PDB file of all heavy atoms in Angstrom:
ATOM      1  N   ILE O1280       7.863 -30.243  19.410  1.00 96.00           N
ATOM      2  CA  ILE O1280       9.161 -30.633  18.870  1.00 96.00           C
ATOM      3  C   ILE O1280      10.106 -29.370  18.888  1.00 96.00           C
ATOM      4  O   ILE O1280       9.526 -28.295  18.608  1.00 96.00           O
ATOM      5  CB  ILE O1280       8.948 -31.097  17.269  1.00 96.00           C
ATOM      6  CG1 ILE O1280       7.952 -32.227  17.156  1.00 96.00           C
ATOM      7  CG2 ILE O1280      10.339 -31.223  16.544  1.00 96.00           C
ATOM      8  CD1 ILE O1280       8.542 -33.518  17.106  1.00 96.00           C
ATOM      9  N   PRO O1281      11.349 -29.562  19.191  1.00 98.00           N
ATOM     10  CA  PRO O1281      12.218 -28.333  19.340  1.00 98.00           C
ATOM     11  C   PRO O1281      12.209 -27.503  18.060  1.00 98.00           C
ATOM     12  O   PRO O1281      12.300 -28.209  16.965  1.00 98.00           O
ATOM     13  CB  PRO O1281      13.608 -28.937  19.759  1.00 98.00           C
ATOM     14  CG  PRO O1281      13.244 -30.350  20.168  1.00 98.00           C
ATOM     15  CD  PRO O1281      11.985 -30.735  19.580  1.00 98.00           C
ATOM     16  N   VAL O1282      12.353 -26.281  18.138  1.00 97.00           N
ATOM     17  CA  VAL O1282      12.427 -25.352  16.978  1.00 97.00           C
ATOM     18  C   VAL O1282      13.608 -25.696  15.991  1.00 97.00           C
ATOM     19  O   VAL O1282      13.462 -25.623  14.818  1.00 97.00           O
ATOM     20  CB  VAL O1282      12.574 -23.946  17.413  1.00 97.00           C
ATOM     21  CG1 VAL O1282      11.266 -23.260  17.814  1.00 97.00           C
ATOM     22  CG2 VAL O1282      13.612 -23.675  18.480  1.00 97.00           C
ATOM     23  N   LYS O1283      14.691 -26.253  16.575  1.00 97.00           N
ATOM     24  CA  LYS O1283      15.829 -26.616  15.773  1.00 97.00           C
ATOM     25  C   LYS O1283      15.551 -27.708  14.791  1.00 97.00           C
ATOM     26  O   LYS O1283      16.349 -27.932  13.862  1.00 97.00           O
ATOM     27  CB  LYS O1283      16.999 -27.058  16.697  1.00 97.00           C
ATOM     28  CG  LYS O1283      17.717 -25.942  17.252  1.00 97.00           C
ATOM     29  CD  LYS O1283      19.343 -26.202  17.263  1.00 97.00           C
ATOM     30  CE  LYS O1283      20.061 -24.941  17.378  1.00 97.00           C
ATOM     31  NZ  LYS O1283      20.939 -24.581  16.447  1.00 97.00           N
ATOM     32  N   LYS O1284      14.484 -28.497  15.070  1.00 97.00           N
ATOM     33  CA  LYS O1284      14.087 -29.620  14.095  1.00 97.00           C
ATOM     34  C   LYS O1284      13.122 -29.290  13.103  1.00 97.00           C
ATOM     35  O   LYS O1284      12.679 -30.112  12.398  1.00 97.00           O
ATOM     36  CB  LYS O1284      13.662 -30.709  15.007  1.00 97.00           C
ATOM     37  CG  LYS O1284      14.729 -31.313  16.005  1.00 97.00           C
ATOM     38  CD  LYS O1284      14.350 -32.614  16.592  1.00 97.00           C
ATOM     39  CE  LYS O1284      15.635 -33.237  17.124  1.00 97.00           C
ATOM     40  NZ  LYS O1284      15.374 -34.561  17.597  1.00 97.00           N
ATOM     41  N   ILE O1285      12.769 -28.013  13.087  1.00 97.00           N
ATOM     42  CA  ILE O1285      11.815 -27.514  12.070  1.00 97.00           C
ATOM     43  C   ILE O1285      12.460 -26.593  11.040  1.00 97.00           C
ATOM     44  O   ILE O1285      13.229 -25.614  11.458  1.00 97.00           O
ATOM     45  CB  ILE O1285      10.524 -26.782  12.816  1.00 97.00           C
ATOM     46  CG1 ILE O1285       9.909 -27.654  13.955  1.00 97.00           C
ATOM     47  CG2 ILE O1285       9.627 -26.330  11.837  1.00 97.00           C
ATOM     48  CD1 ILE O1285       8.828 -27.023  14.666  1.00 97.00           C
ATOM     49  N   GLU O1286      12.153 -26.764   9.836  1.00 96.00           N
ATOM     50  CA  GLU O1286      12.668 -25.897   8.798  1.00 96.00           C
ATOM     51  C   GLU O1286      11.468 -25.253   8.086  1.00 96.00           C
ATOM     52  O   GLU O1286      10.422 -25.944   7.784  1.00 96.00           O
ATOM     53  CB  GLU O1286      13.391 -26.597   7.673  1.00 96.00           C
ATOM     54  CG  GLU O1286      14.688 -27.289   8.156  1.00 96.00           C
ATOM     55  CD  GLU O1286      15.745 -26.288   8.624  1.00 96.00           C
ATOM     56  OE1 GLU O1286      15.788 -25.111   8.131  1.00 96.00           O
ATOM     57  OE2 GLU O1286      16.601 -26.577   9.487  1.00 96.00           O
ATOM     58  N   THR O1287      11.399 -23.924   7.988  1.00 95.00           N
ATOM     59  CA  THR O1287      10.310 -23.366   7.307  1.00 95.00           C
ATOM     60  C   THR O1287      10.728 -21.884   6.639  1.00 95.00           C
ATOM     61  O   THR O1287      11.816 -21.493   6.864  1.00 95.00           O
ATOM     62  CB  THR O1287       9.180 -23.152   8.302  1.00 95.00           C
ATOM     63  OG1 THR O1287       7.966 -22.741   7.542  1.00 95.00           O
ATOM     64  CG2 THR O1287       9.361 -22.175   9.340  1.00 95.00           C
ATOM     65  N   MET O1288       9.717 -21.381   6.000  1.00 91.00           N
ATOM     66  CA  MET O1288      10.025 -20.096   5.314  1.00 91.00           C
ATOM     67  C   MET O1288       8.744 -19.315   5.219  1.00 91.00           C
ATOM     68  O   MET O1288       7.772 -19.894   4.923  1.00 91.00           O
ATOM     69  CB  MET O1288      10.341 -20.364   3.885  1.00 91.00           C
ATOM     70  CG  MET O1288      11.497 -20.268   3.214  1.00 91.00           C
ATOM     71  SD  MET O1288      12.771 -19.199   2.765  1.00 91.00           S
ATOM     72  CE  MET O1288      14.200 -20.254   2.728  1.00 91.00           C
ATOM     73  N   VAL O1289       8.768 -18.087   5.539  1.00 92.00           N
ATOM     74  CA  VAL O1289       7.660 -17.218   5.255  1.00 92.00           C
ATOM     75  C   VAL O1289       8.051 -16.227   4.241  1.00 92.00           C
ATOM     76  O   VAL O1289       9.004 -15.448   4.391  1.00 92.00           O
ATOM     77  CB  VAL O1289       7.053 -16.637   6.550  1.00 92.00           C
ATOM     78  CG1 VAL O1289       5.924 -15.642   6.281  1.00 92.00           C
ATOM     79  CG2 VAL O1289       6.752 -17.619   7.514  1.00 92.00           C
ATOM     80  N   LEU O1290       7.276 -16.096   3.142  1.00 92.00           N
ATOM     81  CA  LEU O1290       7.618 -15.150   2.074  1.00 92.00           C
ATOM     82  C   LEU O1290       6.499 -14.130   1.893  1.00 92.00           C
ATOM     83  O   LEU O1290       5.680 -13.993   2.812  1.00 92.00           O
ATOM     84  CB  LEU O1290       7.760 -15.951   0.711  1.00 92.00           C
ATOM     85  CG  LEU O1290       8.655 -17.145   0.759  1.00 92.00           C
ATOM     86  CD1 LEU O1290       8.861 -17.682  -0.592  1.00 92.00           C
ATOM     87  CD2 LEU O1290      10.123 -16.619   1.188  1.00 92.00           C
ATOM     88  N   GLY O1291       6.668 -13.239   0.931  1.00 91.00           N
ATOM     89  CA  GLY O1291       5.709 -12.242   0.632  1.00 91.00           C
ATOM     90  C   GLY O1291       6.051 -10.923   1.430  1.00 91.00           C
ATOM     91  O   GLY O1291       7.010 -10.731   2.072  1.00 91.00           O
ATOM     92  N   GLY O1292       5.077  -9.974   1.514  1.00 88.00           N
ATOM     93  CA  GLY O1292       5.194  -8.815   2.305  1.00 88.00           C
ATOM     94  C   GLY O1292       5.119  -8.981   3.799  1.00 88.00           C
ATOM     95  O   GLY O1292       4.510  -9.954   4.245  1.00 88.00           O
ATOM     96  N   HIS O1293       5.774  -8.091   4.514  1.00 86.00           N
ATOM     97  CA  HIS O1293       5.733  -8.160   5.963  1.00 86.00           C
ATOM     98  C   HIS O1293       4.383  -7.435   6.459  1.00 86.00           C
ATOM     99  O   HIS O1293       4.374  -6.336   6.838  1.00 86.00           O
ATOM    100  CB  HIS O1293       6.891  -7.443   6.536  1.00 86.00           C
ATOM    101  CG  HIS O1293       7.159  -7.598   8.040  1.00 86.00           C
ATOM    102  ND1 HIS O1293       6.924  -8.707   8.644  1.00 86.00           N
ATOM    103  CD2 HIS O1293       7.379  -6.639   8.946  1.00 86.00           C
ATOM    104  CE1 HIS O1293       7.183  -8.498   9.919  1.00 86.00           C
ATOM    105  NE2 HIS O1293       7.419  -7.268  10.160  1.00 86.00           N
ATOM    106  N   GLY O1294       3.335  -8.238   6.264  1.00 83.00           N
ATOM    107  CA  GLY O1294       2.056  -7.681   6.758  1.00 83.00           C
ATOM    108  C   GLY O1294       1.098  -8.838   6.851  1.00 83.00           C
ATOM    109  O   GLY O1294       1.367 -10.052   6.802  1.00 83.00           O
ATOM    110  N   ASP O1295      -0.131  -8.516   6.910  1.00 84.00           N
ATOM    111  CA  ASP O1295      -1.212  -9.581   7.048  1.00 84.00           C
ATOM    112  C   ASP O1295      -1.300 -10.515   5.914  1.00 84.00           C
ATOM    113  O   ASP O1295      -1.881 -11.555   6.045  1.00 84.00           O
ATOM    114  CB  ASP O1295      -2.593  -8.874   7.317  1.00 84.00           C
ATOM    115  CG  ASP O1295      -2.493  -8.205   8.644  1.00 84.00           C
ATOM    116  OD1 ASP O1295      -1.517  -8.308   9.536  1.00 84.00           O
ATOM    117  OD2 ASP O1295      -3.486  -7.402   8.911  1.00 84.00           O
ATOM    118  N   THR O1296      -0.676 -10.125   4.779  1.00 86.00           N
ATOM    119  CA  THR O1296      -0.669 -10.870   3.601  1.00 86.00           C
ATOM    120  C   THR O1296       0.452 -11.862   3.402  1.00 86.00           C
ATOM    121  O   THR O1296       0.624 -12.489   2.361  1.00 86.00           O
ATOM    122  CB  THR O1296      -0.887 -10.019   2.313  1.00 86.00           C
ATOM    123  OG1 THR O1296       0.221  -9.197   2.208  1.00 86.00           O
ATOM    124  CG2 THR O1296      -2.127  -9.266   2.363  1.00 86.00           C
ATOM    125  N   MET O1297       1.278 -11.897   4.394  1.00 89.00           N
ATOM    126  CA  MET O1297       2.560 -12.689   4.356  1.00 89.00           C
ATOM    127  C   MET O1297       2.185 -14.160   4.017  1.00 89.00           C
ATOM    128  O   MET O1297       1.035 -14.621   4.387  1.00 89.00           O
ATOM    129  CB  MET O1297       3.376 -12.613   5.602  1.00 89.00           C
ATOM    130  CG  MET O1297       2.777 -13.388   6.800  1.00 89.00           C
ATOM    131  SD  MET O1297       3.780 -13.062   8.327  1.00 89.00           S
ATOM    132  CE  MET O1297       3.600 -11.378   8.783  1.00 89.00           C
ATOM    133  N   VAL O1298       3.175 -14.915   3.429  1.00 90.00           N
ATOM    134  CA  VAL O1298       2.780 -16.297   3.042  1.00 90.00           C
ATOM    135  C   VAL O1298       3.758 -17.390   3.670  1.00 90.00           C
ATOM    136  O   VAL O1298       4.770 -17.589   3.152  1.00 90.00           O
ATOM    137  CB  VAL O1298       3.036 -16.401   1.434  1.00 90.00           C
ATOM    138  CG1 VAL O1298       2.368 -17.691   0.872  1.00 90.00           C
ATOM    139  CG2 VAL O1298       2.425 -15.168   0.786  1.00 90.00           C
ATOM    140  N   PRO O1299       3.184 -17.955   4.701  1.00 90.00           N
ATOM    141  CA  PRO O1299       3.874 -19.037   5.352  1.00 90.00           C
ATOM    142  C   PRO O1299       3.959 -20.249   4.309  1.00 90.00           C
ATOM    143  O   PRO O1299       2.835 -20.582   3.639  1.00 90.00           O
ATOM    144  CB  PRO O1299       3.226 -19.478   6.541  1.00 90.00           C
ATOM    145  CG  PRO O1299       2.382 -18.227   6.870  1.00 90.00           C
ATOM    146  CD  PRO O1299       2.111 -17.699   5.550  1.00 90.00           C
ATOM    147  N   MET O1300       5.192 -20.720   3.971  1.00 91.00           N
ATOM    148  CA  MET O1300       5.265 -21.817   3.012  1.00 91.00           C
ATOM    149  C   MET O1300       5.099 -23.109   3.483  1.00 91.00           C
ATOM    150  O   MET O1300       6.131 -23.801   3.804  1.00 91.00           O
ATOM    151  CB  MET O1300       6.610 -21.629   2.195  1.00 91.00           C
ATOM    152  CG  MET O1300       6.989 -20.231   1.770  1.00 91.00           C
ATOM    153  SD  MET O1300       5.949 -19.940   0.293  1.00 91.00           S
ATOM    154  CE  MET O1300       6.821 -20.981  -0.817  1.00 91.00           C
ATOM    155  N   THR O1301       3.882 -23.602   3.543  1.00 90.00           N
ATOM    156  CA  THR O1301       3.687 -24.941   4.134  1.00 90.00           C
ATOM    157  C   THR O1301       4.315 -26.025   3.315  1.00 90.00           C
ATOM    158  O   THR O1301       4.885 -26.944   3.915  1.00 90.00           O
ATOM    159  CB  THR O1301       2.098 -25.276   4.370  1.00 90.00           C
ATOM    160  OG1 THR O1301       1.563 -24.842   3.148  1.00 90.00           O
ATOM    161  CG2 THR O1301       1.627 -24.444   5.500  1.00 90.00           C
ATOM    162  N   SER O1302       4.406 -25.942   2.077  1.00 89.00           N
ATOM    163  CA  SER O1302       5.057 -26.924   1.179  1.00 89.00           C
ATOM    164  C   SER O1302       6.503 -27.072   1.395  1.00 89.00           C
ATOM    165  O   SER O1302       7.093 -28.033   0.994  1.00 89.00           O
ATOM    166  CB  SER O1302       4.688 -26.780  -0.286  1.00 89.00           C
ATOM    167  OG  SER O1302       5.247 -25.685  -0.779  1.00 89.00           O
ATOM    168  N   TYR O1303       7.097 -25.964   1.946  1.00 92.00           N
ATOM    169  CA  TYR O1303       8.629 -26.087   2.255  1.00 92.00           C
ATOM    170  C   TYR O1303       8.810 -26.183   3.765  1.00 92.00           C
ATOM    171  O   TYR O1303      10.012 -25.908   4.191  1.00 92.00           O
ATOM    172  CB  TYR O1303       9.296 -24.815   1.643  1.00 92.00           C
ATOM    173  CG  TYR O1303       9.498 -24.920   0.185  1.00 92.00           C
ATOM    174  CD1 TYR O1303       8.407 -24.393  -0.612  1.00 92.00           C
ATOM    175  CD2 TYR O1303      10.554 -25.479  -0.362  1.00 92.00           C
ATOM    176  CE1 TYR O1303       8.647 -24.557  -1.999  1.00 92.00           C
ATOM    177  CE2 TYR O1303      10.653 -25.580  -1.778  1.00 92.00           C
ATOM    178  CZ  TYR O1303       9.787 -25.208  -2.580  1.00 92.00           C
ATOM    179  OH  TYR O1303       9.945 -25.326  -3.941  1.00 92.00           O
ATOM    180  N   THR O1304       7.858 -26.594   4.516  1.00 95.00           N
ATOM    181  CA  THR O1304       7.993 -26.792   5.904  1.00 95.00           C
ATOM    182  C   THR O1304       8.304 -28.234   6.268  1.00 95.00           C
ATOM    183  O   THR O1304       7.562 -29.092   5.838  1.00 95.00           O
ATOM    184  CB  THR O1304       6.833 -26.364   6.635  1.00 95.00           C
ATOM    185  OG1 THR O1304       6.644 -24.926   6.303  1.00 95.00           O
ATOM    186  CG2 THR O1304       6.974 -26.351   8.186  1.00 95.00           C
ATOM    187  N   THR O1305       9.397 -28.494   6.950  1.00 96.00           N
ATOM    188  CA  THR O1305       9.657 -29.912   7.362  1.00 96.00           C
ATOM    189  C   THR O1305       9.907 -30.002   8.942  1.00 96.00           C
ATOM    190  O   THR O1305      10.353 -29.039   9.498  1.00 96.00           O
ATOM    191  CB  THR O1305      10.898 -30.487   6.674  1.00 96.00           C
ATOM    192  OG1 THR O1305      12.013 -29.699   6.974  1.00 96.00           O
ATOM    193  CG2 THR O1305      10.785 -30.523   5.183  1.00 96.00           C
ATOM    194  N   VAL O1306       9.395 -31.044   9.467  1.00 96.00           N
ATOM    195  CA  VAL O1306       9.575 -31.253  10.873  1.00 96.00           C
ATOM    196  C   VAL O1306      10.413 -32.548  11.015  1.00 96.00           C
ATOM    197  O   VAL O1306       9.947 -33.694  10.481  1.00 96.00           O
ATOM    198  CB  VAL O1306       8.236 -31.492  11.570  1.00 96.00           C
ATOM    199  CG1 VAL O1306       8.468 -31.659  13.087  1.00 96.00           C
ATOM    200  CG2 VAL O1306       7.492 -30.092  11.383  1.00 96.00           C
TER     201      VAL O1306
END
Side-chain angles (χ1 to χ4, degrees):
I1280 301 268
V1282 280
K1283 277 219 162 240
K1284 296 192 164 186
I1285 306 178
E1286 295 297 333
T1287 191
M1288 247 309 147
V1289 175
L1290 305 186
H1293 184 48
D1295 295 349
T1296 60
M1297 68 180 76
V1298 191
M1300 303 289 292
T1301 46
S1302 68
Y1303 283 90
T1304 303
T1305 57
V1306 178

